Amino acid sequence: MTATGARARVRAELTREITEVARRHLAVDGASALSLRAVARELGMASSAVYRYFPSRDELLTALIVEAYDALGSAAEQADAAVAPDDLRTRWHAVCRASREWAQAHPHEYALVYGSPVPGYAAPETTIGPAARVGEVLCTIVARGVASGEVVPDGSGTGALHPGLAELMGLPGDSALAERAISAWTGLFGLIGFELFGHLHNVVDDRAAFFTDAVDRMADQIGLPGPTR
């Protein structure tokens, strides 16, 4: 291995260790209390050394946010890929279920990206692509239905979406279908958040059944074919 390669390997390993420690601090103290100095102390490093990897707390937060979005997106994409492409409703359920399961397994990372905003932090554009991954998978399912003729983009939209967003997602831009797909995407994370953050306590006893039924209703609203579950 060359000296350049060795340095790159050491840098990658230290970056991984820093983000791992930072994730543990998130679980204990929350995102707003994340401190580069505290991370450095746990690693036995000088603060100045950590700053060479992450020049500010916000850059460390951004790295954690991108990692969380990418991990969630990867879980959704893998679940989708495991289902036959034309089995649209099963794909829809698989993606939604995988998103819920990932959130339950990683509650602090989920809270970082879908919980309360961190005071003083503004997410940069580098978070946009990772944040869209689950939505893109859901829209791909809908677009497959449109292409096969199984999903009919009837009705005109309200014009509420950002210009060009529907086309970017592979959906007809002049119908309400894209708006319903985006509504389902936001509704999915509303369902997950309500459950994860305790808002269904003493309200819903069988949360898995409640979630499955709600996901089915979203699929019905969009017009995905297949039996309800």
Side-chain angles (χ1 to χ4, degrees):
M1 180 181 294
T2 65
T4 300
R7 285 195 297 269
R9 183 172 180 177
V10 169
R11 183 175 183 84
E13 178 62 22
L14 279 173
T15 300
R16 183 189 63 78
E17 290 180 5
I18 291 168
T19 54
E20 283 185 356
V21 170
R23 278 193 293 271
R24 291 201 295 270
H25 284 218
L26 283 179
V28 175
D29 303 317
S32 61
L34 184 63
S35 164
L36 284 174
R37 292 181 181 275
V39 171
R41 280 197 302 271
E42 182 165 338
L43 287 168
M45 297 172 62
S47 298
S48 58
V50 174
Y51 279 103
R52 287 200 294 269
Y53 294 86
F54 296 99
S56 68
R57 181 212 65 164
D58 284 5
E59 291 201 24
L60 178 55
L61 270 177
T62 296
L64 296 173
I65 288 168
V66 168
E67 284 184 3
Y69 277 135
D70 277 336
L72 173 56
S74 179
E77 291 161 2
Q78 290 176 25
D80 181 49
V83 181
D86 292 327
D87 192 350
L88 302 180
R89 190 172 287 248
T90 301
R91 288 175 62 189
W92 183 268
H93 273 274
V95 170
C96 294
R97 184 170 58 251
S99 298
R100 175 176 180 256
E101 290 172 352
W102 185 90
Q104 291 174 330
H106 305 87
H108 303 294
E109 287 93 335
Y110 185 88
L112 175 64
V113 294
Y114 287 111
S116 300
V118 179
Y121 174 79
E125 289 189 5
T126 53
T127 62
I128 295 175
R133 286 177 65 172
V134 174
E136 287 174 350
V137 178
L138 294 174
C139 287
T140 296
I141 297 170
V142 180
R144 178 90 178 202
V146 173
S148 68
E150 296 176 279
V151 175
V152 180
D154 57 334
S156 298
T158 65
L161 298 183
H162 186 75
L165 179 63
E167 292 84 354
L168 184 64
M169 294 293 196
L171 300 173
D174 57 351
S175 76
L177 181 61
E179 294 178 13
R180 290 198 294 269
I182 298 300
S183 177
W185 177 15
T186 60
L188 168 64
F189 288 112
L191 277 170
I192 293 171
F194 255 59
E195 179 180 2
L196 195 65
F197 301 141
H199 299 300
L200 298 183
H201 183 63
N202 290 332
V203 177
V204 177
D205 291 333
D206 190 340
R207 294 171 188 175
F210 180 80
F211 181 84
T212 298
D213 180 69
V215 168
D216 242 341
R217 292 177 187 275
M218 294 176 192
D220 290 340
Q221 184 180 35
I222 289 170
L224 292 179
T228 58
R229 298 174 187 278

